[in-house]
Amino acid sequence: MARRLQPTLTEIGDAARALRQGKLVAFPTETVYGLGGDATSDRAVAAIFSAKGRPSFNPLIVHVASATDAVQFAEVSANAQAVARSFWPGPLTMVLPRRRDCRISLLATAGLDSVAIRVPAHTIAQTLLTMTGLPLAAPSANPSGRLSPTSADHVLADLGDNVEFVIDGGACTVGVESTVLSLLDDKPRILRPGGVPAEAIAEVLQEPVTIETGAEDSAAPRSPGRLLSHYAPSLPVRLNAAAAEPGEILLGFGPSAPKDALNLSPIGDLQEAAANLFALLRRLDDPQYCAIAVMPVPETGLGIAINDRLRRAAAAR
């Protein structure tokens, strides 16, 4: 079983040494907990895939400490620089052309000529990246396709036998994964909605940003989180429910939800709902019920990311 570390410099240093030795360490970011490994090591990346049971064609996000570090691995255009200035550190991943001399394992990028890079805002993640001096491949620290972890307890329950350490940084503040923005061509495209709304990116770039919500079920996706059935609890999920049917349990949203239902946000706040999403789905994923019914969530701002996760959780498996 993995050892739980406290977020002290001494114990984060233990985690950094383990990462440099090719071991896996789970750590908090502002979005969800990541399963970190040396992104330049094929063996470490392979261990991530093995621990998650992740399809090899689904690329991993690489975390670096700063935009300056990103330039070592990707071709950073003027648009990418503008986005980085506005949203890094933060819950935004950019998919950029891979440099010819890029040291990132091809396994981490699924053999593509692009690389997905993020600069996390969480203090623990930043400290760990600085101490290791490495780019860290760090998908969500959960079995592939299952609910993403927003606490150290979630990671220990799901991956405790497959990771060396879990740094306990408490609950994640954003609660859904990063927005994934492709800048591989002239048209900026969001491949996965997340913690940064499309409208904010469009304002920085001064041009429209397309949101591609369709799933990629067989061909190699350019982004993590693009498989059809993803972020799924073990129970079936029924969307846009007004109430629970016999045998179901209800996940509510807003003040109109029944008082006895678990509620993403009793006041209808989308930021609160995003932060609670995975933790509440986990609590409801109980075999005494036949399904999870979910009340509608507005398709605006962070609601776009929330609904993207819910649609994938409800997809046929």
Side-chain angles (χ1 to χ4, degrees):
M1 176 61 70
R3 176 182 155 201
R4 186 195 300 260
L5 300 182
Q6 297 306 308
T8 65
L9 287 178
T10 297
E11 298 208 339
I12 295 174
D14 291 341
R17 281 189 290 277
L19 286 163
R20 288 194 296 270
Q21 293 167 1
K23 298 174 182 177
L24 303 186
V25 171
F27 61 92
T29 75
E30 69 276 25
T31 56
V32 299
Y33 275 68
L35 178 61
D38 178 359
T40 68
S41 165
D42 290 337
R43 292 179 67 89
V45 173
I48 292 173
F49 284 118
S50 177
K52 285 179 63 69
R54 187 183 182 106
S56 61
F57 49 77
N58 201 5
L60 305 180
I61 291 173
V62 175
H63 294 64
V64 296
S66 69
T68 301
D69 292 332
V71 174
Q72 300 178 48
F73 310 112
E75 301 290 347
V76 181
S77 65
N79 272 352
Q81 291 176 38
V83 170
R85 283 193 297 270
S86 297
F87 302 112
W88 277 357
L92 179 87
T93 295
M94 284 193 280
V95 181
L96 302 170
R98 180 185 172 113
R99 285 177 57 111
R100 292 178 64 89
D101 60 351
C102 178
R103 295 184 294 115
I104 301 296
S105 165
L106 282 170
L107 189 60
T109 59
L112 299 172
D113 57 359
S114 57
V115 59
I117 297 185
R118 179 162 99 87
V119 179
H122 200 289
T123 301
I124 294 172
Q126 279 284 325
T127 303
L128 184 63
L129 285 161
T130 300
M131 283 187 167
T132 61
L134 295 168
L136 297 179
S140 55
N142 59 301
S144 185
R146 299 297 302 276
L147 293 171
S148 296
T150 54
S151 74
D153 287 342
H154 294 162
V155 181
L156 289 165
D158 287 346
L159 293 178
D161 294 332
N162 295 308
V163 61
E164 189 77 8
F165 298 125
V166 178
I167 305 174
D168 191 344
C172 299
T173 56
V174 176
V176 293
E177 290 85 349
S178 60
T179 299
V180 178
L181 173 69
S182 172
L183 293 176
L184 293 174
D185 50 41
D186 294 336
K187 295 183 179 180
R189 294 172 293 127
I190 288 180
L191 305 182
R192 181 183 73 183
V196 175
E199 298 87 347
I201 299 170
E203 184 175 353
V204 169
L205 295 178
Q206 294 295 293
E207 62 178 299
V209 177
T210 302
I211 301 176
E212 297 188 357
T213 57
E216 298 174 359
D217 201 29
S218 57
R222 290 267 180 191
S223 163
R226 295 273 286 163
L227 298 181
L228 181 59
S229 177
H230 212 73
Y231 314 106
S234 58
L235 291 178
V237 174
R238 182 171 68 88
L239 303 180
N240 299 315
E245 295 181 351
E248 292 182 335
I249 184 69
L250 181 69
L251 179 60
F253 175 81
S256 64
K259 298 300 182 186
D260 58 348
L262 283 182
N263 198 323
L264 288 168
S265 173
I267 62 173
D269 181 84
L270 290 173
Q271 183 171 335
E272 180 183 24
N276 287 333
L277 178 62
F278 289 123
L280 292 190
L281 281 173
R282 282 174 175 270
R283 285 177 62 182
L284 295 176
D285 194 20
D286 188 316
Q288 69 177 300
Y289 304 110
C290 67
I292 300 170
V294 183
M295 291 182 68
V297 176
E299 190 80 17
T300 59
L302 275 177
I304 295 174
I306 294 168
N307 283 313
D308 176 78
R309 302 305 185 274
L310 289 172
R311 282 190 290 269
R312 295 177 193 278
R317 306 171 201 171

